[in-house]
Amino acid sequence: MHGYIAIAVFLPLLAGLLLGPCSGLLGKRVGWVAFWFPLISFAMVLVAGVQAGPTPHVLVEWPWIPSLGINLTFLVDGLSLLFAGIVSGVGVLVFFYANQYFKGDESRYPLGRFYSYLLLFMSAMLGTVLSDNLMLLFIFWELTGITSFLLIGFLHEKDGSRAGARMALLVTMLTGLCMLVGIVILHQLTGTLSISELMAMDLPVPLDGTLINVVLVLILLGAFGKSAQFPFQFWLPNAMAAPTPVSAYLHSATMVKLGVFLVARIYPIFLEVELWVPVLTLVGFGTMLVASFLALRSNVLKAILAYSTVTQLGDLIGLYGLESQLGVFSDYYHILDHVFYKACLFMVVGIITHCTGCKDLRDLGGLRHSMPLLAIASGIACASMAGLPLTMGFVAKEMLLADFAILLREGPWTAWAAFVFLVLASIMKIAFSCRLFYYLFFRPVPQQVQKHLHIPSIRFQLPPLILAGCSLVFGWVLALPEALLHYLHVDGLQTREGHLAMWHGVNIELAISLAIISAGLSLFLYGRGTHWRWTEIPRFLRFDDFFERGLLQFNAFTKFITKMLRSESPADYLPVMVTLMVLAFGGYLMNAVELKAGAAFIMEDWEFQANTLRVFVATLIGLSTLGVVLLSRWTSQLIMLSVAGFLITFYFVLYRAPDLALTQILVESATLILVLLLLARFPKSAQQGEDRELLHGMRNLMNLVISLGLGAVVTCMILVAGAKAPPTRLGDAFLAQTVRQAEGSNAVNTILVDFRGFDTMGEIAVLVIAVLGSIGLFFRYKRSDQQREQRALGAPGFGIFQQHPGERRER
């Protein structure tokens, strides 16, 4: 079972990394090659589920960062198997659907990159739902945000795609950071990051109830952001700029359900926390009401489905708050219901848009004659979304109303508020579900649709038909989902036994349900009678506009702060920073008792001959740096700076550090040659500076005082650092370990390559970047006088004149 889970999670990751570079070799077959990987992952999840049985299994694959308690640990239980099956199973249908969706457009889109992103997203999703370590879950959680950003912005040449991708990334990442803070605090309270261990222990609620509530709110913020709960519901409709396969996968069946998954995963941990019931109930059902209203007032097909998705996500999250008072039983059934009908509807809308070129519901109609199979699939899905009889949605709604009937007898205000939200939202769900189905398939066919319509192939319609068939079977043959619920039962999550039934008799739930259906149909007929002229989202609910304006205001604010801090003028802000450092550190160091001890320590064992030579070299270094300040020509300044560097080399020799001396010689030589080559390309006038400003006397005096003060501070720091010999020397530790651990006899080499290998690699990377930048500068063209006058707004270059091809370059 260990191997099956590893294959399911990491095979799509490996395939996603390799598929993009190999897409040129695969050509049009890249989509069908990618199709096999979700199929394999789905098979591995099924096999793992059969082998695991109803008992949870914790699988520890590899230790990763054991010092922080982070390991590659996976938990196989009913909840993780359900979501892993959804991710991989719907993934199979989405990859099949995508091959039909992009058929004939292979040359227009980089499909290798698209399928690579989709596989990486699938791997991140599987890692999230199977993780047993909270920190590992967070890492995969953030990977889903990054890959969804790439998928939403896949059509990056469109403004809507870029804006939607940015909005989704910012919202999910910022709320994810809040979740990270909650995870860290929870780790400090409990001493573990293992989900299975947290579910087995009692949280210290009586010890610090306030802190536990803070942890809960922080983690729930991550769930609300990912599942587009109020007030974050605005990012999901804007993410619909992605291609329809992405919307069907990310925004109906998988990524947006991560918030629901997280709430279910932490349910046994935080069930007794005070804020659990009111926060989940009010936010969940409140989001349901707001999103239903927005779906009713929308006209674009994907916007209607996006807001309806948020509606159901609010229902699913509110369910865990509501049923925590009675016991959870049917949460899996609600989740599967939404997966089937919403993924089906997204695929149906994608096919209709693909075949008609229309995205607005008001421009469509009469498609039942040309697309009868889609009409059947859409009818089943819309009926389930509306909660009409003989569907999964009706069974789910009846069970929810039955729970409300019990809770309302006790009269908690949260239950009454949630019940009002649910009733109003359900009425609007029925209205926009009927509108969607009627406008697509039954009203007269508009002339524009007749001109551009082409009939989709059977293979193109197969995935939504399969999803609609699953919805139909799970809604009629209730023994099948009931057996699945019992098999995937998780102790501590499903805390109540129950029975699924289509007919519960004549009771209050049935009366409420019939009243909701009647009111919803009446609202639909009213909208049809008014030709839906009032379908426009009010400005006060356009949170996406507020978000974009907020970004613009934030950019303006940062520019204002940058201007106030004089960041674009180093000559202005650098003296302020240096002065602050001199006053802060210098004041402390001047009073430090270690100064006298440091001076005495340095003066011990004074050897006149050796130290005279060191003083002489130090004096020469000081004179050379003084020449850098006093000389005006760039070449003279550069030579004096190089002289100081070479004298430092000699200083290293005096202190018996040949390796440092050799490194210093190489760096100084390379720097001198590169800068001289660069200056050789400058015109003679540029060596005096493009716009040299002479500083007045007071500014020069201030710079002198600041420089002397900084030098004094550094001197004091050296005296304090050398005041006392350390009890242990780091060099001795390196010498003791260099043969045993690094297997080398040259301590300098082992320090650079083994003990400080990453530091050395970073230094090499900096040098490579500097060399590449210098090479780029060598090939710059000269700017004209007009471009020089434009300063930063002009073309790049160093006073080098840009010429058209064929013209003689000015040297």
Side-chain angles (χ1 to χ4, degrees):
M1 185 167 60
H2 294 65
Y4 297 137
I5 293 300
I7 292 173
V9 174
F10 295 110
L11 181 62
L13 175 64
L14 180 62
L17 295 175
L18 296 177
L19 198 63
C22 298
S23 59
L25 300 175
L26 298 173
K28 295 182 179 180
R29 295 169 294 178
V30 64
W32 292 113
V33 172
F35 166 75
W36 288 99
F37 295 105
L39 191 63
I40 295 172
S41 291
F42 183 58
M44 295 298 102
V45 171
L46 290 180
V47 173
V50 172
Q51 289 193 357
T55 305
H57 291 267
V58 177
L59 307 178
V60 180
E61 292 294 333
W62 301 283
W64 189 13
I65 313 176
S67 60
L68 297 178
I70 304 175
N71 297 314
L72 289 175
T73 312
F74 299 103
L75 174 63
V76 178
D77 64 354
L79 181 65
S80 62
L81 286 173
L82 173 72
F83 276 89
I86 291 172
V87 170
S88 54
V90 176
V92 173
L93 296 178
V94 167
F95 274 79
F96 184 90
Y97 176 83
N99 276 282
Q100 305 301 320
Y101 185 85
F102 291 112
K103 189 174 182 179
D105 294 331
E106 291 86 357
S107 59
R108 293 178 55 195
Y109 304 111
L111 294 184
R113 191 173 66 195
F114 174 81
Y115 289 111
S116 177
Y117 294 162
L118 211 57
L119 285 170
L120 293 175
F121 170 79
M122 178 181 173
S123 176
M125 281 293 306
L126 289 171
T128 304
V129 300
L130 289 166
S131 295
D132 180 58
N133 188 286
L134 279 174
M135 197 61 69
L136 181 65
L137 182 148
F138 170 77
I139 292 170
F140 279 118
W141 180 285
E142 293 300 281
L143 284 177
T144 62
I146 295 172
T147 49
S148 66
F149 168 79
L150 297 173
L151 286 167
I152 296 169
F154 178 70
L155 305 176
H156 54 81
E157 67 278 1
K158 298 181 179 179
D159 294 337
S161 296
R162 296 195 299 272
R166 179 184 62 190
M167 190 177 297
L169 182 70
L170 289 176
V171 172
T172 56
M173 287 290 183
L174 291 176
T175 54
L177 290 176
C178 295
M179 184 179 78
L180 175 62
V181 175
I183 291 173
V184 172
I185 299 175
L186 182 63
H187 181 219
Q188 295 299 314
L189 286 175
T190 61
T192 181
L193 289 170
S194 172
I195 296 174
S196 54
E197 293 178 7
L198 287 170
M199 289 191 295
M201 68 171 60
D202 293 328
L203 286 183
V205 178
L207 180 64
D208 193 346
T210 302
L211 191 56
I212 289 295
N213 280 298
V214 171
V215 172
L216 173 63
V217 171
L218 288 172
I219 294 178
L220 287 180
L221 277 175
F224 293 162
K226 193 71 91 173
S227 287
Q229 297 299 285
F230 185 87
F232 309 114
Q233 80 284 348
F234 59 89
W235 74 261
L236 186 57
N238 287 276
M240 294 299 119
T244 300
V246 175
S247 301
Y249 196 30
L250 277 66
H251 306 136
S252 64
T254 55
M255 188 187 83
V256 292
K257 282 194 177 60
L258 275 186
V260 179
F261 164 79
L262 183 63
V263 170
R265 181 55 84 198
I266 65 175
Y267 177 90
I269 304 173
F270 290 96
L271 177 59
E272 301 298 329
V273 177
E274 179 184 1
L275 291 181
W276 176 268
V277 173
V279 170
L280 287 182
T281 303
L282 296 178
V283 172
F285 289 107
T287 301
M288 185 181 183
L289 176 62
V290 173
S292 297
F293 177 75
L294 295 173
L296 185 66
R297 300 289 293 263
S298 299
N299 295 305
V300 179
L301 290 173
K302 279 191 174 183
I304 296 173
L305 294 184
Y307 283 123
S308 67
T309 298
V310 179
T311 297
Q312 192 62 28
L313 292 174
D315 186 14
L316 294 174
I317 286 179
L319 180 72
Y320 285 105
L322 178 74
E323 292 194 347
S324 61
Q325 304 169 75
L326 300 173
V328 177
F329 161 64
S330 60
D331 56 332
Y332 290 172
Y333 190 80
H334 288 265
I335 292 169
L336 287 174
D337 172 37
H338 183 249
V339 168
F340 290 147
Y341 79 72
K342 189 50 62 67
C344 172
L345 285 176
F346 266 108
M347 291 182 180
V348 167
V349 164
I351 293 173
I352 291 174
T353 303
H354 192 277
C355 295
T356 63
C358 297
K359 299 180 180 181
D360 196 302
L361 185 62
R362 295 167 294 186
D363 299 331
L364 293 164
L367 297 177
R368 71 183 186 279
H369 301 294
S370 54
M371 304 178 187
L373 293 178
L374 280 189
I376 295 172
S378 182
I380 295 171
C382 287
S384 186
M385 180 166 64
L388 299 181
L390 304 179
T391 64
M392 288 185 71
F394 179 75
V395 177
K397 185 176 66 176
E398 288 292 295
M399 289 188 292
L400 189 58
L401 291 175
D403 291 340
F404 268 111
I406 298 174
L407 287 174
L408 293 179
R409 296 191 190 104
E410 301 175 3
W413 70 272
T414 53
W416 279 101
F419 176 72
V420 173
F421 293 162
L422 173 69
V423 170
L424 295 176
S426 299
I427 292 172
M428 288 184 282
K429 278 180 67 177
I430 292 173
F432 67 69
S433 299
C434 293
R435 182 194 179 201
L436 180 67
F437 182 64
Y438 174 79
Y439 266 66
L440 286 178
F441 296 102
F442 279 93
R443 75 170 189 151
V445 184
Q447 188 175 4
Q448 181 181 358
V449 173
Q450 291 178 338
K451 288 182 179 180
H452 301 91
L453 178 65
H454 63 273
I455 308 302
S457 64
I458 296 297
R459 288 198 298 179
F460 201 4
Q461 301 177 68
L462 185 59
L465 287 172
I466 292 175
L467 290 166
C470 291
S471 181
L472 202 61
V473 170
F474 274 55
W476 287 4
V477 188
L478 294 177
L480 184 61
E482 188 168 335
L484 184 63
L485 294 184
H486 288 297
Y487 185 79
L488 298 177
H489 174 86
V490 176
D491 292 334
L493 176 57
Q494 284 82 26
T495 53
R496 174 170 58 120
E497 295 293 330
H499 178 66
L500 297 177
M502 182 70 70
W503 175 253
H504 294 272
V506 179
N507 49 29
I508 186 64
E509 300 94 75
L510 180 62
I512 296 173
S513 183
L514 292 177
I516 290 173
I517 293 173
S518 301
L521 292 175
S522 300
L523 180 58
F524 163 70
L525 293 175
Y526 169 76
R528 182 185 170 189
T530 58
H531 303 287
W532 304 95
R533 288 189 297 268
W534 42 272
T535 52
E536 184 179 357
I537 296 178
R539 293 186 62 183
F540 71 91
L541 288 177
R542 295 298 303 265
F543 284 19
D544 51 346
D545 289 345
F546 299 148
F547 181 83
E548 292 295 333
R549 292 176 188 172
L551 285 181
L552 293 176
Q553 294 298 323
F554 179 74
N555 290 338
F557 174 74
T558 55
K559 290 179 180 179
F560 172 75
I561 294 296
T562 301
K563 184 177 180 180
M564 293 296 295
L565 294 177
R566 309 294 294 170
S567 298
E568 297 177 352
S569 302
D572 293 337
Y573 78 85
L574 198 57
V576 176
M577 294 178 59
V578 175
T579 302
L580 180 63
M581 187 176 71
V582 169
L583 295 176
F585 291 99
Y588 167 76
L589 291 173
M590 291 302 293
N591 295 322
V593 295
E594 292 88 349
L595 284 178
K596 293 181 180 180
F601 180 77
I602 291 175
M603 294 301 294
E604 285 181 3
D605 301 325
W606 175 268
E607 297 179 5
F608 182 79
Q609 184 177 359
N611 286 285
T612 300
L613 187 56
R614 293 172 187 170
V615 170
F616 177 70
V617 175
T619 304
L620 292 179
I621 293 174
L623 292 175
S624 60
T625 54
L626 188 61
V628 175
V629 176
L630 297 178
L631 296 175
S632 59
R633 295 178 61 86
W634 288 7
T635 50
S636 303
Q637 292 174 332
L638 176 63
I639 291 173
M640 296 306 295
L641 193 61
S642 298
V643 168
F646 286 115
L647 287 173
I648 291 174
T649 301
F650 188 52
Y651 208 73
F652 288 150
V653 172
L654 293 178
Y655 275 94
R656 301 174 185 176
D659 291 332
L660 290 176
L662 180 60
T663 303
Q664 182 73 11
I665 289 175
L666 294 175
V667 171
E668 286 297 330
S669 301
T671 303
L672 180 62
I673 293 172
L674 285 173
V675 177
L676 285 176
L677 287 174
L678 182 62
L679 289 178
R681 295 180 58 86
F682 278 59
K684 189 173 181 179
S685 59
Q687 295 188 24
Q688 300 298 328
E690 282 194 357
D691 190 14
R692 185 174 178 84
E693 295 181 2
L694 297 177
L695 300 177
H696 52 78
M698 290 301 297
R699 184 60 180 268
N700 282 327
L701 179 61
M702 183 184 70
N703 290 345
L704 178 61
V705 172
I706 293 175
S707 301
L708 293 175
L710 183 60
V713 168
V714 174
T715 302
C716 293
M717 291 176 65
I718 294 173
L719 291 176
V720 171
K724 187 188 300 183
T728 59
R729 292 171 55 87
L730 185 61
D732 296 334
F734 283 136
L735 289 173
Q737 302 295 329
T738 186
V739 176
R740 185 174 63 181
Q741 291 191 3
E743 299 181 1
S745 57
N746 189 323
V748 175
N749 290 348
T750 56
I751 290 172
L752 293 175
V753 176
D754 296 287
F755 297 113
R756 295 181 59 194
F758 285 110
D759 186 24
T760 305
M761 184 176 67
E763 293 173 353
I764 294 173
V766 170
L767 291 176
V768 171
I769 293 171
V771 170
L772 293 176
S774 300
I775 294 174
L777 292 175
F778 292 152
F779 291 96
R780 294 280 185 167
Y781 295 108
K782 293 185 178 181
R783 287 187 289 182
S784 64
D785 294 337
Q786 294 80 6
Q787 292 167 344
R788 286 163 60 96
E789 291 176 358
Q790 294 178 359
R791 303 292 178 191
L793 300 178
F798 281 106
I800 302 175
F801 182 69
Q802 286 187 330
Q803 298 178 353
H804 297 286
E807 292 184 6
R808 181 177 177 271
R809 292 181 181 177
E810 178 184 327
R811 293 290 182 181

